[in-house]
Amino acid sequence: MANISQSKHRFFSQTLDDTIKKLEVPGLQELSSATIVRELKKELFLLENIFAEYDSKTKQLKHLISQYQKIQHDARIRLRICQQICSKQ
């Protein structure tokens, strides 16, 4: 699974948005161009929503990993203490 970096996402989104603006000229008569612009806008909207969800879930996952590491660290310390007590008996 590949990670989606915010900088790559923003660069692509900005490029797509700039292209849409260039294609949105007043009096655009060609139906195929207007259709392409509409489709690009939909795709940009979908990409923004997907990235926002991805970013949110990534933050949640980082938080879970942090919690896991802290609990594991604390458990290791307690385990060492117990092992030391047991070895003295």
Side-chain angles (χ1 to χ4, degrees):
M1 180 178 94
N3 286 332
I4 303 169
S5 73
Q6 185 164 356
S7 61
K8 285 183 180 181
H9 167 71
R10 291 287 166 226
F11 176 77
F12 182 77
S13 292
Q14 189 61 50
T15 302
L16 187 55
D17 191 47
D18 291 345
T19 302
I20 289 169
K21 288 176 184 172
K22 287 178 186 175
L23 290 172
E24 285 184 316
V25 293
L28 186 65
Q29 300 298 320
E30 189 177 327
L31 182 61
S32 61
S33 294
T35 302
I36 290 170
V37 169
R38 278 193 305 277
E39 290 301 316
L40 287 173
K41 283 182 177 182
K42 285 182 198 174
E43 289 168 346
L44 178 58
F45 178 76
L46 289 172
L47 287 172
E48 290 294 335
N49 286 335
I50 290 169
F51 184 78
E53 186 174 341
Y54 167 83
D55 194 43
S56 173
K57 290 186 186 282
T58 300
K59 287 176 184 172
Q60 291 173 1
L61 183 58
K62 286 179 183 178
H63 178 70
L64 288 173
I65 290 170
S66 176
Q67 283 182 317
Y68 177 89
Q69 289 172 334
K70 182 186 179 327
I71 292 169
Q72 186 184 51
H73 174 71
D74 293 346
R76 285 177 190 260
I77 291 171
R78 287 190 230 335
L79 179 62
R80 280 190 214 118
I81 292 169
C82 288
Q83 288 172 335
Q84 289 173 355
I85 292 170
C86 290
S87 67
K88 291 180 182 178
Q89 292 179 356

